[in-house]
Amino acid sequence: MKTIKNIDSFGHVRGESLFVDDIPTLQGTLYGVTFDSPKAHGTIKNIDYSKAESLEGVVKIFTYKDILGENQIGGIIPDEPLWAEDEVHFIGQPIAFIVATSEAIAKKSRALITIEIDEKPVITTAKEAKEKGSFINAPRSFKLGNTTSSFSNCEYIIEGETFSNGQEHLYLETQGCYAVPMENGNIKITSSTQGPTSVQKTVAKVLGVSMHKIEVDVIRLGGGFGGKEDQATPWAVMAAVAVQNLKKPVKYILNRHDDLRMTGKRHPYESTFKIGLSKEYKIQAFEVEFLQNSGAAADLSPAIAERTLFHATNSYFIPNVTTIVHSCKTNLPPNTAFRGFGGPQGMFVIESAIAKAAEEIGIDKKEIQELNLLQENDEFSYGQIATQVEMENCWTSAKNNFNSAKLEEEIAAFNNKNTQYKKGLSFMPITFGISFTNTPMNHARALIHIYQDGSVGVSTGAVEMGQSVNTKMLQVASVTLGISTTKVKLETTNTTRVANTSPTAASATADLNGKAVLKACNSLIDRLTTVASTLLAVDKGVIQFKNDMVYVNQQQTSLTWEKVVEQAMFERVALSENAHYATPIIHFDKTKEKGHPFAYHVYGTAITVVTVDCLRGTYEIDAVKIVHDFGKSMNIGIDTGQIEGALVQGIGWMTLEEISYNEHGQLLSNALSTYKVPDVFSAPKTIEVLPLETLGNEHAILKSKAVGEPPLMYGIGAYFAIQNAVKEFNPNYQLKFDAPFTPEKVLMGLYEE
């Protein structure tokens, strides 16, 4: 298939692409700012708004008392008020919404509000929450075989604990929305959200109106990474409450510091494991307890916890598995979706367990990894049977194509010659399931219009957030209709045009929406083929649309696409189609914790090489060499870009990005001076990506597999490569599994007694 460039790239480079903050504001637009809790936990004794309200330019300060519907924005569990009533549960929890004639006045007003809070004890860690019995919901557990009896047959039994920290999304565009009153009490909201329907539904609930009164439109996002799946909603709801009351447009764009303070991050996990191996190093049994730091409300934590269980064994077949996850309630902002959605946290634990086992046995970690790779028809702990398994192919292909044996020889030679610098290498296999793990969410719709001149408009439920999903939707329409890409326009994502959408998440967006586009385009082509067959006096079966022309038996005719469309209009043939797609074969029974939740899996292997400066504790990622299972990639340029971006984001989570709260629940890493994300200097010097030769999977759009989340897990390899380099310098170093592996921790490890 001919690939095309990201259709947004031209506008992005020229600064012409539109985001929420670029929408021309209407006359009379007001501006909002949130007043949020300065304390992590306590009862509100008194709030004095008098000085703030009397400031010139302040129109109104909204609190829970102004809500006509429900003061509730919790999705999975209704445990999160829009605005706090009597108690606060985290620093940054919204209490009130100041609406003024300018953002500057609203901010000035916020500083004039005084609040008295009777403080209560603060919980900041998952471990402390578990000790105090503070949970979001009941624990979940997956089981396969019998771990209790199988450990007694193991030659080696290793136990340990791990910690993986949170991660700030740091999307370039902060959270924001613009809400405008329409006639008859309707409201139109332009939102920076990954979940337009979620915004629509929650706004309607809080306002006490029907969903058809609320229209949500999304142009595109300046990044999301999961941080705008659930957490774009409250800001839109606040603006909508103000619009309902004031009958004027309200704009609310969070500044970076407010966004950092008030929004949740990737979930930190504290976990303990026990792994058992046979004399031949086959993993016989694996037990792990995950403690998920959920924050003060559920948000998406239960779903994220579930995916951790789904990916707890990563790329390995283990016959006896017991995994349990506790969603622990703490006094931090509710943590939320982040690329990988709990999968990375699960994979880090199994990789740590194998590393510790290898250290204690005295062998290379990759020996254990390779011996236990997933094979065809192996069973996952959740009951799904693995089919079309490409794990071993990826691993072998990486070893052979990148000549890992030679790489290891070169590293050994380097380490023998150098004392200040040491190199380390690691293998990181990935196996990642594609589908929403909540089966009812796996559906999508597309609305296609062919206009009288032959141009085409495509509406889907997919949100463009830099991952180039619009480009892929355009490709599907262009290829299926047989017309040039210039004839196709991707519309904004709008709840009035395409309703009841699942969020753009779970790496499933291109598959779900692309299949719906394919279905709609095929229906239209079928009608147009009937028209063309009459015009050409030939059988329908020999007709094909290609290159804006009609072909008969692979031979181009003089009949153009435009002429067929014109004739279809003359014959009153429907030139619009609304198609619905629901993923087949998937199901999951939560009462048994067994089923077939994924349409397919994505596989891959990364070899990471690093150099550690053993004097300073700093390191460079020399190279990451990847063999990845793209299926039959429909756009290798875009897909490779996704691999590179996800990899660097994963490396950041594992090595640099350290979320820090103090014991009072206050965010210390609250600015870009105190929170380090990977820049060009901390990215790998070389990234090589080789596509694995495969037949693709029929459940992927045009057999082109999902690519958004899986490659983030390649970044986990950087942690273990650095650790191997530290061990080269200091043989006394005891492996620890405390991510991120910052230069400070590396330095301490290098000189550990």
Side-chain angles (χ1 to χ4, degrees):
M1 178 186 287
K2 185 187 172 190
T3 64
I4 59 174
K5 287 183 180 174
N6 180 344
I7 56 175
D8 275 342
S9 55
F10 186 76
H12 286 351
V13 170
R14 292 165 63 90
E16 293 172 355
S17 298
L18 296 179
F19 299 86
V20 176
D21 206 14
D22 300 313
I23 299 169
T25 49
L26 299 170
Q27 189 173 356
T29 293
L30 302 171
Y31 298 84
V33 162
T34 297
F35 170 69
D36 56 291
S37 174
K39 301 293 181 185
H41 193 200
T43 305
I44 298 171
K45 276 179 70 182
N46 182 51
I47 308 178
D48 186 353
Y49 294 111
S50 57
K51 287 182 183 174
E53 285 171 326
S54 63
L55 187 69
E56 190 179 347
V58 171
V59 178
K60 185 170 170 65
I61 296 176
F62 291 88
T63 69
Y64 72 92
K65 294 173 184 174
D66 298 292
I67 289 172
L68 300 182
E70 293 178 52
N71 181 27
Q72 184 52 245
I73 59 169
I76 296 176
I77 298 172
D79 65 347
E80 187 176 0
L82 176 66
W83 290 308
E85 297 187 16
D86 305 315
E87 282 199 353
V88 289
H89 296 277
F90 63 93
I91 291 174
Q93 181 172 356
I95 295 172
F97 187 58
I98 304 150
V99 177
T101 52
S102 76
E103 188 183 356
I105 291 170
K107 282 182 184 171
K108 195 173 178 183
S109 170
R110 176 166 69 179
L112 298 174
I113 298 171
T114 58
I115 185 168
E116 289 178 63
I117 295 172
D118 261 347
E119 291 189 62
K120 293 183 175 180
V122 173
I123 301 172
T124 60
T125 69
K127 208 173 264 186
E128 188 187 351
K130 189 195 172 196
E131 286 166 7
K132 293 185 175 174
S134 177
F135 300 108
I136 292 290
N137 60 349
R140 295 277 299 275
S141 180
F142 288 2
K143 289 179 181 171
L144 178 68
N146 187 326
T147 49
T148 310
S149 61
S150 53
F151 273 115
S152 59
N153 300 321
C154 293
E155 181 76 13
Y156 306 101
I157 298 173
I158 292 94
E159 297 184 55
E161 58 184 56
T162 71
F163 174 73
S164 58
N165 207 335
Q167 186 177 20
E168 165 59 43
H169 301 85
L170 213 80
Y171 24 67
L172 284 173
E173 175 202 32
T174 58
Q175 303 275 7
C177 62
Y178 185 36
V180 177
M182 312 300 278
E183 63 181 6
N184 301 321
N186 300 324
I187 297 174
K188 180 176 179 180
I189 302 167
T190 306
S191 173
S192 181
T193 179
Q194 292 172 236
T197 295
S198 176
V199 171
Q200 179 193 26
K201 185 179 177 182
T202 311
V203 167
K205 180 170 75 173
V206 176
L207 268 56
V209 301
S210 301
M211 283 174 72
H212 74 300
K213 289 280 189 184
I214 309 299
E215 176 186 354
V216 178
D217 192 74
V218 183
I219 309 167
R220 64 171 60 79
L221 313 187
F225 310 118
K228 294 175 181 173
E229 183 178 342
D230 219 47
Q231 300 212 349
T233 302
W235 327 113
V237 180
M238 290 178 200
V241 170
V243 169
Q244 184 186 42
N245 183 283
L246 301 170
K247 310 292 187 285
K248 286 193 171 186
V250 175
K251 185 174 181 179
Y252 183 25
I253 309 290
L254 277 69
N255 68 37
R256 180 64 69 187
H257 287 101
D258 283 359
D259 194 304
L260 287 168
R261 183 180 68 258
M262 292 194 281
T263 63
K265 326 297 179 194
R266 184 189 292 284
H267 291 76
Y269 272 61
E270 296 170 82
S271 308
T272 51
F273 64 80
K274 182 179 178 184
I275 190 167
L277 293 85
S278 71
K279 194 180 285 186
E280 296 75 30
Y281 312 137
K282 291 287 271 186
I283 304 172
Q284 297 300 309
F286 182 56
E287 288 182 349
V288 58
E289 179 185 61
F290 299 103
L291 300 184
Q292 178 199 64
N293 189 330
S294 306
D299 194 275
L300 293 165
S301 295
I304 291 160
E306 180 182 66
R307 192 173 273 269
T308 299
L309 297 181
F310 281 123
H311 292 89
T313 55
N314 187 13
S315 301
Y316 312 105
F317 172 63
I318 305 174
N320 302 287
V321 179
T322 302
T323 55
I324 187 167
V325 62
H326 300 272
S327 293
C328 301
K329 186 172 183 173
T330 62
N331 298 113
L332 301 181
N335 286 314
T336 194
F338 198 130
R339 200 176 198 168
F341 203 77
Q345 292 97 317
M347 288 191 194
F348 180 65
V349 177
I350 181 69
E351 293 301 324
S352 298
I354 293 172
K356 189 167 171 64
E359 180 190 42
E360 294 203 8
I361 295 167
I363 59 171
D364 193 315
K365 180 188 176 191
K366 74 173 184 302
E367 276 191 59
I368 300 175
Q369 289 175 303
E370 190 167 352
L371 270 167
N372 292 280
L373 292 174
L374 198 69
Q375 306 289 326
E376 194 72 11
N377 296 320
D378 280 343
E379 186 179 350
F380 290 102
S381 64
Y382 45 90
Q384 183 162 341
I385 304 301
T387 57
Q388 291 182 260
V389 178
E390 300 290 354
M391 193 56 254
E392 199 165 356
N393 291 344
C394 288
W395 182 278
T396 307
S397 183
K399 276 177 75 174
N400 296 340
N401 282 296
F402 300 125
N403 199 342
S404 63
K406 189 182 176 200
L407 267 176
E408 289 179 275
E409 283 172 20
E410 289 170 355
I411 288 170
F414 178 91
N415 288 341
N416 283 334
K417 281 184 196 166
N418 289 275
T419 50
Q420 184 180 336
Y421 297 95
K422 296 290 182 186
K423 287 186 182 289
L425 177 145
S426 74
F427 276 72
M428 181 63 201
I430 63 157
T431 298
F432 195 83
I434 303 300
S435 288
F436 286 100
T437 55
N438 185 17
T439 304
M441 294 174 72
N442 292 282
H443 62 100
R445 275 152 306 289
L447 175 64
I448 314 285
H449 296 311
I450 300 175
Y451 296 100
Q452 293 179 41
D453 63 353
S455 61
V456 175
V458 177
S459 291
T460 75
V463 172
E464 175 60 57
M465 52 185 182
Q467 84 282 42
S468 306
V469 72
N470 279 354
T471 306
K472 287 189 173 181
M473 297 304 98
L474 184 143
Q475 265 185 281
V476 173
S478 163
V479 167
T480 312
L481 298 174
I483 58 177
S484 56
T485 54
T486 53
K487 285 187 168 69
V488 184
K489 176 194 175 191
L490 258 292
E491 306 288 356
T492 60
T493 312
N494 183 286
T495 55
T496 298
R497 267 184 274 112
V498 178
N500 305 322
T501 59
S502 290
T504 293
S507 304
T509 307
D511 284 349
L512 294 173
N513 292 276
K515 291 273 193 179
V517 170
L518 185 69
K519 211 170 166 183
C521 289
N522 280 331
S523 295
L524 290 164
I525 280 292
D526 185 58
R527 288 175 217 154
L528 293 175
T529 302
T530 303
V531 174
S533 71
T534 305
L535 287 172
L536 294 169
V538 296
D539 186 68
K540 271 181 77 171
V542 298
I543 288 177
Q544 187 183 13
F545 286 82
K546 198 165 62 173
N547 303 325
D548 301 318
M549 302 296 291
V550 177
Y551 284 63
V552 171
N553 289 321
Q554 306 296 323
Q555 297 298 310
Q556 185 179 318
T557 68
S558 59
L559 186 60
T560 64
W561 163 262
E562 286 83 357
K563 185 67 184 168
V564 178
V565 171
E566 184 184 323
Q567 184 64 22
M569 277 295 296
F570 183 73
E571 294 180 20
R572 298 181 295 173
V573 172
L575 292 176
S576 291
E577 183 64 28
N578 178 25
H580 176 88
Y581 174 77
T583 312
I585 75 165
I586 57 172
H587 57 89
F588 193 73
D589 185 341
K590 290 186 183 183
T591 63
K592 296 174 182 169
E593 302 290 25
K594 295 289 177 188
H596 187 104
F598 299 116
Y600 60 87
H601 287 80
V602 171
Y603 301 93
T605 298
I607 300 173
T608 304
V609 180
V610 304
T611 304
V612 172
D613 181 335
C614 302
L615 184 63
R616 297 174 179 85
T618 55
Y619 41 78
E620 285 188 335
I621 316 290
D622 301 325
V624 182
K625 299 165 185 285
I626 295 168
V627 171
H628 187 80
D629 165 28
F630 291 100
K632 293 281 184 191
S633 175
M634 64 189 284
N635 197 317
I636 197 66
I638 282 170
D639 286 349
T640 303
Q642 284 293 291
I643 299 270
E644 292 168 352
L647 166 69
V648 173
Q649 197 166 43
I651 289 172
W653 172 54
M654 279 281 108
T655 65
L656 288 175
E657 301 182 44
E658 192 154 39
I659 297 280
S660 180
Y661 289 92
N662 66 15
E663 69 275 18
H664 305 298
Q666 182 181 11
L667 182 67
L668 302 178
S669 49
N670 63 348
L672 293 181
S673 55
T674 51
Y675 186 75
K676 173 72 174 160
V677 293
D679 55 17
V680 69
F681 300 107
S682 42
K685 289 192 224 166
T686 305
I687 301 174
E688 286 182 71
V689 182
L690 287 181
L692 186 74
E693 287 290 325
T694 77
L695 296 172
N697 189 292
E698 63 179 19
H699 297 299
I701 180 63
L702 303 179
K703 296 192 173 181
S704 179
K705 284 190 172 183
V707 76
E709 291 171 290
L712 182 128
M713 273 67 82
Y714 291 135
I716 295 172
Y719 186 100
F720 295 97
I722 293 167
Q723 201 163 51
N724 289 340
V726 170
K727 192 85 174 165
E728 278 292 326
F729 179 80
N730 178 10
N732 294 323
Y733 170 69
Q734 294 290 306
L735 297 193
K736 291 166 198 66
F737 308 103
D738 185 337
F741 208 1
T742 58
E744 292 88 341
K745 290 180 193 168
V746 171
L747 192 62
M748 288 163 72
L750 287 163
Y751 295 96
E752 180 178 282
E753 290 297 325

